[in-house]
Amino acid sequence: MKILICISNVPDTTTKIKFVNNTTFDNAGVQWIINPWDELALTRALDIKDAQPGVIETITVVTVGSQETEPTIRKALAIGADKGIRVNAEPKDTFFVASQLAEIVKKDNYDIVICGIESSDYNGAALGGMLSELLDMPSVSAVSHLDVINGQVQLKREIDGGQETVEAQLPFIGIVQKGIAKEPRIPSMRGIMMAKGKPMEVFEGVGADSFTEFVGFDMPKPKAACKKIDPENVKELVNLLHNEAKVI
Amino acid sequence: MSVLVYTENWDGKFKKLSFELVSYANEIAKKLNTSVVVVSIGNVGEEELKKLSNYGASKILNANNEKLNGLNNQAYTSVLAEAVAKENATVIVFAHNNSGKAIAPRLSVRLKAGLATGVMTLPSSTEPFTITKKIYTSKALANLVIKTPVKIVTLLQNAFGLVEGPASGTIEQFNPELKDSDFKTKVVDVNKVTGKILLSDAEIVVSGGRGMKSGENWGPIEELAVLLGAGTACSRPVSDEGWRPHEEHTGQTGKIIAPNLYFAFGISGAIQHLGGISGAKCIVAVNKDPDAPIFEAADYGIVGDLQKVLPDLISAVKELKAN
Amino acid sequence: MNFEFTEEQKMIQQAAKDFAERELLHDVIERDEKSEFPAEHIKKLAELGFLGMMTDPKYDGGGMDTISYVLAMEEISKVDSSVAVVMSVCNSLVIWGIETYGNEEQKQKFLRPLASGQKIGAFLLSEPEAGSDATSQRTTAEDKGDHYLLNGTKNWITNANSASTYIVIAQTHPDKKHKGINALIVDKNSPGITLGPHENKMGMRSSDTHSVMFNDVIVPKENRIGEDGFGFPFAMKTLEGGRIGIASQALGIASGAFERALKYSMERKAFGTEIFNHQINAFKLSDMAVKIENGRNLCLKAAWLKDQHLPYGTASAMAKQYCADMAMEVTTEAVQIHGGYGYVKEYHVERLMREAKLTQIYEGTSEVQKIVISRSLLK
Ligand SMILES: Cc1cc2nc3c(=O)[nH]c(=O)nc-3n(C[C@H](O)[C@H](O)[C@H](O)COP(=O)(O)OP(=O)(O)OC[C@H]3O[C@@H](n4cnc5c(N)ncnc54)[C@H](O)[C@@H]3O)c2cc1C
Ligand SMILES: Cc1cc2nc3c(=O)[nH]c(=O)nc-3n(C[C@H](O)[C@H](O)[C@H](O)COP(=O)(O)OP(=O)(O)OC[C@H]3O[C@@H](n4cnc5c(N)ncnc54)[C@H](O)[C@@H]3O)c2cc1C
């Protein structure tokens, strides 16, 4: 079996987010990482491969981006992916990226394609779905458990207040979320050394539309002073939590 | 022209979320001088379907077919695509939940319709169609323009609220074409989980400090936690006293958590405690001391006796959940 | 000149940081209190290849440079020096010694399991009467034709219990003084080896330190490293590199304490404002930052010289002396910035301060480093 994992290159989650003139993300001094959900997806794929040697032939990772994203691919190779692919194109929107990835999926016979449920930068939560539609492949979203047993995939997907066990025909696209693996792996010295020798292919991007465009960025309002509520009117608190803070 | 809403049901019932989606769609429809059509997939009674009209549904397409039991991304996409064509929809609204995230992107590709996910407000303009969403996990906001003639949005739960606006709500049986090739995934088992929520996973955390006076007084905290599907936590002295287990000790020297909502009952807000909860998106403090430092960290505060506030709060939450 | 780390060096630094934060931080206080050897933690560290990270891959090592080693040592030491010292002894003393001066057979037999982390090593030089003055070795390795007979006592041996492979420095020709000393690879399970009790230390309490007693221990001749009488230069050369490890450890202790103090100073309020805003604290932190930067540069310079195969003995002594003394100063100030909270265990800085003290003592005291440095001035 061949697994393809789509990884995106995102700022470290502890990064202080800033914009230049409210139009461009300020990437000065930013440390880039593998999108956390994608890294968990890779971890799970490696766990499956380790548990059943021979069943998973190769794990390939792919990202769409400029040359600056290569360290992120090499980190994935150091963690254990077998092969890296970079599509040389500047991401415009999710549809554009999905169109690039679709071309990559068509180049080989992948049995399982895995995407993270969202990326921690634009929180789009759309890539996996778009890619599966472009390829006319079945997709299962919010997957929190994935296994390969006797050549079949077994999945659990999260639903409101529970889980469903789902079967999917291959090839399929798994869109995975928290729970898919416990903790991302730390690359070993051997892994880091071997990453240098692993294949990294670069393909030029294909022409594709973009459906959407970011036209400006803003920072959320700073934390306001504590709102005091009359102890005789606790209902008001519930009302505010529900309608204003939108947390219950 | 129309604004189309997809809403799922939960064992044949709609939730507040469904009505919120319709309310939201109705506001967009007003801006576009058109009306709202809702698509419901699965087995929902007429009376329940009719409820959608209170929030502005002019037409309700009822796709009740056994083959559609259990979310199937491809089949649901086909059903919705057919509905869009039939109703000539130009805006399609989903919830930004697991089913919305599963179907909306597929539909976006199928219809060549631009998609804005996780939006919180109405579009600030419909021409060009411009809408705000949170990015970088709520650390920033972005304005997004959808450039295609047909637009799809997924709305964050509770972002909009309910707006009543009665409409005709004609129910129409909808029998979309179902292709076998769409059924490549199958739900084989459903497992509803109930059980204690791990503190680190909890979206809501209810916590108590020394102001609770004794471990025996924890009943209301637990009750509130169960009501809200929340985890429970405590300050360090509370676990030192053995009132609560050590796993619940939160703070710089205990667990560091970042829930959406954190309730602090009888916690003074020492820096060591705050070190563990400052990542919480919303903090509610209940303390009888108006100068307690916890109020500096809190978003909402009640200066008062927690013995009285807690039971009131529990009934108010029960009331909310009942609706 | 280039101050930019390579992509690989950054990746190693991040890996070490992740390891320290995920695997070590959660129980470091408890282990320190109980003086508990971190066996499971070391096993994981070994699996990641950190124990033989600089060894040639053909002997199952990681093939990384000394710069990467400095970066990794700093990250691990920010959190737990008892673990970092295992890494340092294995990499810089035992493994480097065998890789650099051992013969091919010794490398195949002893280096491989060490470099891959399956086994850990210990370096046995200090004696009850031979500390700073390592020349006055009283442990004897009597030449018995096809083997040596080892007798004597070594003190303060890090990894004494957990190691499988010892490098023992012992006197074969007392008349030749330090020119009669040999370095022997000794299997820890050889008959005649006994261990003293675990030392109850001030800091690095979970690192396992014991005396080791040799009573007619038979060591095959083929286990001698280098020519007859090479033991003393061997030990001195090995310690030159070891100092880079301990210097980086001290650096990590200092930067770990600094990071905690900085964060605390921006959270703790006194007299209505964060204590950082009382200028004396801001200046303290600024001094700490400068010292740490100096220390880091010294470590990296020594590492760079070593990687370039240039003489690095003086540079490593400078780094070791400066970083050890600097760590003591910085950790003391970090405790001060924490006030009373700094004096209890939960805040880590008191432990870091106890750990810093050891870096001024082992692998050559700060005074001994000054001897090395001052001698080099005359050359
Ligand atoms: C080294 C060290 C590490 C520490 N680490 C942590 C840590 O990780 N986490 C942590 O929590 N603490 C920690 N602490 C302890 C911390 O300093 C505080 O002492 C502790 O957080 C206080 O707990 P508290 O708020 O529950 O109690 P108190 O400070 O005693 O506060 C009780 C509060 O309850 C209010 N109250 C009392 N009765 C009522 C009532 N009927 N209705 C409403 N309000 C009422 C009071 O006004 C008061 O504000 C640490 C301390 C040290 C020394
Ligand atoms: C926890 C721990 C772990 C250790 N691990 C190991 C190990 O794994 N392997 C190993 O071989 N050893 C190890 N050591 C031993 C360590 O290297 C020695 O303790 C160190 O070299 C100092 O020797 P000493 O303790 O005998 O002190 P001494 O040599 O007696 O020194 C006492 C004091 O006199 C000063 N002094 C000595 N000579 C001079 C001089 N000429 N001029 C000025 N000042 C001088 C010293 O600087 C020191 O301040 C370890 C020690 C400790 C505490």
Side-chain angles (χ1 to χ4, degrees):
Chain A
M1 267 190 182
K2 289 183 185 171
I3 300 182
L4 177 73
I5 300 168
C6 306
I7 62 174
S8 74
N9 181 51
V10 298
D12 186 280
T13 48
T14 58
T15 306
K16 239 189 163 149
I17 303 299
K18 283 175 291 188
F19 297 95
V20 183
N21 299 330
N22 279 0
T23 52
T24 357
F25 175 68
D26 181 358
N27 59 14
V30 169
Q31 191 178 343
W32 298 89
I33 60 166
I34 306 177
N35 179 38
W37 290 275
D38 306 345
E39 195 174 13
L40 288 177
L42 173 59
T43 305
R44 182 60 201 153
L46 291 166
D47 287 347
I48 296 173
K49 190 178 176 203
D50 288 352
Q52 307 177 62
V55 173
I56 309 295
E57 223 176 296
T58 51
I59 298 176
T60 305
V61 294
V62 57
T63 198
V64 178
S66 64
Q67 198 173 357
E68 270 112 70
T69 63
E70 284 190 7
T72 294
I73 301 178
R74 259 187 303 270
K75 165 106 187 268
L77 297 176
I79 293 172
D82 302 296
K83 210 176 126 184
I85 298 175
R86 179 171 72 83
V87 180
N88 190 32
E90 209 42 66
K92 290 190 196 137
D93 77 341
T94 314
F95 179 75
F96 175 87
V97 174
S99 306
Q100 308 303 321
L101 292 171
E103 294 307 310
I104 299 300
V105 178
K106 286 182 209 154
K107 283 186 204 293
D108 208 337
N109 302 313
Y110 297 104
D111 303 276
I112 303 175
V113 178
I114 313 180
C115 305
I117 194 152
E118 64 175 62
S119 66
S120 62
D121 48 7
Y122 296 114
N123 308 118
L127 184 96
M130 287 189 175
L131 180 60
S132 25
E133 186 63 27
L134 281 167
L135 295 162
D136 196 24
M137 271 163 77
S139 61
V140 178
S141 189
V143 172
S144 60
H145 179 78
L146 188 154
D147 213 342
V148 175
I149 294 167
N150 301 328
Q152 286 299 116
V153 283
Q154 290 223 342
L155 307 164
K156 290 218 177 7
R157 114 175 129 203
E158 295 298 305
I159 54 169
D160 256 6
Q163 279 182 337
E164 284 175 348
T165 306
V166 182
E167 284 175 2
Q169 291 174 20
L170 296 180
F172 103 109
I173 297 196
I175 301 162
V176 304
Q177 68 157 47
K178 201 166 86 178
I180 189 76
K182 255 174 76 188
E183 242 180 342
R185 292 191 184 190
I186 295 172
S188 68
M189 297 304 117
R190 178 157 288 265
I192 293 172
M193 190 174 60
M194 286 189 354
K196 281 191 282 197
K198 288 183 178 174
M200 162 113 71
E201 275 184 278
V202 180
F203 294 101
E204 280 311 312
V206 294
D209 284 343
S210 68
F211 292 166
T212 59
E213 191 182 339
F214 283 113
V215 291
F217 300 101
D218 247 322
M219 300 316 284
K221 290 183 205 76
K223 182 183 165 321
C226 179
K227 237 185 217 175
K228 293 279 169 63
I229 292 125
D230 180 0
E232 300 303 322
N233 190 7
V234 175
K235 263 193 182 170
E236 173 63 11
L237 172 66
V238 174
N239 185 24
L240 288 169
L241 291 176
H242 182 63
N243 292 319
E244 187 180 80
K246 305 188 196 299
V247 283
I248 59 174
Chain B
M1 244 191 19
S2 68
V3 174
L4 195 91
V5 178
Y6 164 68
T7 179
E8 66 200 289
N9 66 83
W10 291 264
D11 300 322
K13 295 266 178 270
F14 292 125
K15 283 193 189 173
K16 198 202 123 198
L17 171 63
S18 319
F19 306 126
E20 185 177 15
L21 292 172
V22 180
S23 305
Y24 176 81
N26 198 31
E27 290 301 314
I28 297 181
K30 281 184 202 161
K31 285 182 184 239
L32 299 172
N33 284 324
T34 172
S35 59
V36 174
V37 179
V38 182
V39 179
S40 166
I41 300 179
N43 191 2
V44 186
E46 204 153 290
E47 205 181 318
E48 189 70 14
L49 289 170
K50 198 78 194 167
K51 287 184 186 166
L52 298 168
S53 65
N54 297 338
Y55 301 90
S58 307
K59 193 196 278 185
I60 295 147
L61 298 180
N62 183 24
N64 182 7
N65 182 324
E66 227 165 60
K67 283 184 91 175
L68 294 170
N69 288 350
L71 172 62
N72 176 314
N73 297 354
Q74 276 175 301
Y76 277 42
T77 302
S78 298
V79 171
L80 283 155
E82 193 176 322
V84 169
K86 179 168 130 34
E87 300 297 331
N88 189 20
T90 52
V91 178
I92 305 138
V93 178
F94 288 87
H96 193 63
N97 62 2
N98 284 343
S99 55
K101 288 181 207 171
I103 314 164
R106 294 200 77 127
L107 191 65
S108 161
V109 170
R110 182 101 39 118
L111 303 176
K112 298 227 169 304
L115 169 65
T117 55
V119 305
M120 315 179 295
T121 55
L122 288 168
S124 57
S125 122
T126 52
E127 201 51 59
F129 195 93
T130 311
I131 200 157
T132 306
K133 67 165 289 186
K134 288 185 184 176
I135 56 170
Y136 293 104
T137 330
S138 303
K139 284 196 265 187
L141 304 171
N143 287 323
L144 189 74
V145 169
I146 303 182
K147 301 186 287 188
T148 51
V150 178
K151 286 101 180 154
I152 305 180
V153 298
T154 69
L155 177 71
L156 280 176
Q157 185 159 2
N158 287 333
F160 189 72
L162 300 184
V163 183
E164 297 209 11
S168 53
T170 334
I171 298 171
E172 195 180 299
Q173 295 310 314
F174 179 44
N175 296 311
E177 188 199 338
L178 298 177
K179 290 179 294 180
D180 281 346
S181 60
D182 274 347
F183 291 87
K184 291 181 193 145
T185 67
K186 193 167 100 203
V187 176
V188 291
D189 190 23
V190 182
N191 183 11
K192 298 267 179 192
V193 276
T194 46
K196 204 169 152 54
I197 296 187
L198 280 177
L199 184 51
S200 49
D201 290 344
E203 304 276 356
I204 302 179
V205 172
V206 185
S207 182
R210 269 167 33 93
M212 293 296 293
K213 299 290 189 291
S214 147
E216 277 143 37
N217 296 339
W218 239 261
I221 295 237
E222 291 191 322
E223 189 181 348
L224 183 61
V226 170
L227 267 175
L228 293 167
T232 50
C234 67
S235 67
R236 187 172 91 159
V238 165
S239 63
D240 289 347
E241 293 275 0
W243 296 353
R244 297 298 294 173
H246 277 285
E247 305 89 79
E248 290 194 0
H249 159 199
T250 310
Q252 208 139 30
T253 56
K255 286 226 163 67
I256 294 178
I257 55 174
N260 282 332
L261 174 59
Y262 183 81
F263 285 97
F265 292 101
I267 294 178
S268 59
I271 181 187
Q272 296 83 25
H273 188 78
L274 296 180
I277 61 158
S278 55
K281 288 183 193 70
C282 177
I283 296 175
V284 175
V286 177
N287 198 304
K288 64 179 185 190
D289 172 7
D291 293 327
I294 188 79
F295 288 121
E296 273 177 51
D299 298 278
Y300 299 101
I302 296 184
V303 180
D305 186 352
L306 61 89
Q307 308 276 13
K308 201 183 147 302
V309 172
L310 252 175
D312 287 358
L313 186 58
I314 289 171
S315 19
V317 171
K318 276 188 182 153
E319 203 174 304
L320 175 82
K321 294 272 159 181
N323 295 322
Chain C
M1 276 294 258
N2 182 0
F3 282 98
E4 180 83 39
F5 295 125
T6 64
E7 184 185 318
E8 214 164 76
Q9 288 161 345
K10 286 190 230 169
M11 215 191 283
I12 292 167
Q13 182 180 38
Q14 188 64 40
K17 185 177 159 76
D18 287 344
F19 181 83
E21 286 172 2
R22 281 190 222 153
E23 304 286 346
L24 302 177
L25 184 60
H26 68 98
D27 62 351
V28 58
I29 293 173
E30 194 183 323
R31 273 184 282 115
D32 178 70
E33 217 164 301
K34 294 189 185 155
S35 283
E36 201 175 271
F37 184 73
E40 282 306 306
H41 309 66
I42 296 293
K43 199 169 152 241
K44 288 186 187 160
L45 190 71
E47 281 164 7
L48 291 175
F50 279 108
L51 296 190
M53 64 182 281
M54 292 178 288
T55 312
D56 192 328
K58 82 175 180 218
Y59 300 113
D60 296 341
M64 300 303 170
D65 60 6
T66 317
I67 302 269
S68 305
Y69 174 59
V70 169
L71 298 175
M73 275 298 292
E74 179 181 354
E75 292 303 327
I76 305 283
S77 308
K78 279 182 187 175
V79 176
D80 189 349
S81 275
S82 294
V83 169
V85 70
V86 176
M87 196 174 139
S88 175
V89 167
C90 287
N91 272 298
S92 318
L93 301 184
V94 182
I95 291 177
W96 187 83
I98 300 178
E99 186 175 14
T100 311
Y101 297 109
N103 58 35
E104 190 54 33
E105 252 165 70
Q106 290 168 341
K107 290 183 198 176
Q108 292 299 344
K109 187 166 170 198
F110 300 107
L111 184 57
R112 245 177 220 294
L114 286 165
S116 62
Q118 285 161 283
K119 291 188 172 172
I120 73 174
F123 190 79
L124 295 79
L125 172 66
S126 304
E127 296 188 356
E129 309 297 333
S132 300
D133 178 9
T135 54
S136 51
Q137 292 286 315
R138 300 200 177 175
T139 299
T140 53
E142 223 182 308
D143 191 339
K144 292 284 184 188
D146 64 340
H147 66 268
Y148 290 104
L149 203 59
L150 204 54
N151 277 291
T153 299
K154 292 289 177 182
N155 267 10
W156 307 118
I157 301 310
T158 303
N159 297 347
N161 189 36
S162 45
S164 315
T165 309
Y166 286 174
I167 294 185
V168 182
I169 309 297
Q171 183 58 271
T172 301
H173 313 283
D175 51 316
K176 294 193 192 159
K177 300 256 168 61
H178 67 277
K179 289 184 177 144
I181 292 173
N182 276 315
L184 307 175
I185 304 173
V186 179
D187 180 342
K188 184 221 170 189
N189 291 321
S190 313
I193 296 182
T194 50
L195 263 53
H198 175 79
E199 301 294 350
N200 190 4
K201 305 189 293 292
M202 171 186 184
M204 298 202 206
R205 293 173 51 78
S206 55
S207 133
D208 94 90
T209 320
H210 300 255
S211 301
V212 180
M213 275 79 75
F214 297 93
N215 205 343
D216 286 341
V217 175
I218 295 173
V219 182
K221 263 261 166 88
E222 65 261 26
N223 286 14
R224 187 187 69 214
I225 301 176
E227 294 298 303
D228 187 21
F230 181 61
F232 193 72
F234 168 83
M236 293 304 111
K237 268 291 175 202
T238 305
L239 287 174
E240 278 187 2
R243 281 168 193 148
I244 300 179
I246 302 305
S248 320
Q249 177 179 52
L251 168 67
I253 293 170
S255 53
F258 168 77
E259 284 170 13
R260 289 177 183 280
L262 178 63
K263 182 161 178 282
Y264 191 79
S265 75
M266 297 195 293
E267 288 168 353
R268 177 71 177 177
K269 287 185 183 161
F271 299 96
T273 180
E274 286 77 15
I275 58 172
F276 186 89
N277 297 330
H278 301 297
Q279 199 179 48
I280 188 158
N281 294 318
F283 281 11
K284 238 176 220 180
L285 286 155
S286 135
D287 287 344
M288 288 156 88
V290 174
K291 287 177 189 171
I292 289 168
E293 187 65 17
N294 275 337
R296 190 176 290 120
N297 287 338
L298 284 170
C299 289
L300 292 171
K301 170 84 180 293
W304 180 83
L305 287 169
K306 183 161 177 278
D307 287 338
Q308 304 302 313
H309 308 288
L310 295 167
Y312 57 90
T314 307
S316 72
M318 284 181 177
K320 160 90 174 37
Q321 184 242 306
Y322 182 82
C323 288
D325 294 350
M326 177 276 281
M328 204 60 238
E329 291 164 24
V330 167
T331 53
T332 307
E333 289 293 26
V335 170
Q336 191 67 18
I337 286 171
H338 278 76
Y341 296 97
Y343 201 64
V344 294
K345 296 193 187 284
E346 282 99 327
Y347 281 76
H348 296 275
V349 285
E350 65 81 34
R351 180 176 51 81
L352 291 168
M353 179 174 160
R354 290 185 279 113
E355 288 172 348
K357 189 65 216 169
L358 184 52
T359 64
Q360 291 181 303
I361 296 172
Y362 66 7
E363 295 203 23
T365 62
S366 289
E367 292 75 14
V368 166
Q369 304 308 327
K370 289 185 192 185
I371 297 175
V372 174
I373 299 163
S374 55
R375 276 189 194 143
S376 79
L377 300 178
L378 294 177
K379 279 181 193 156

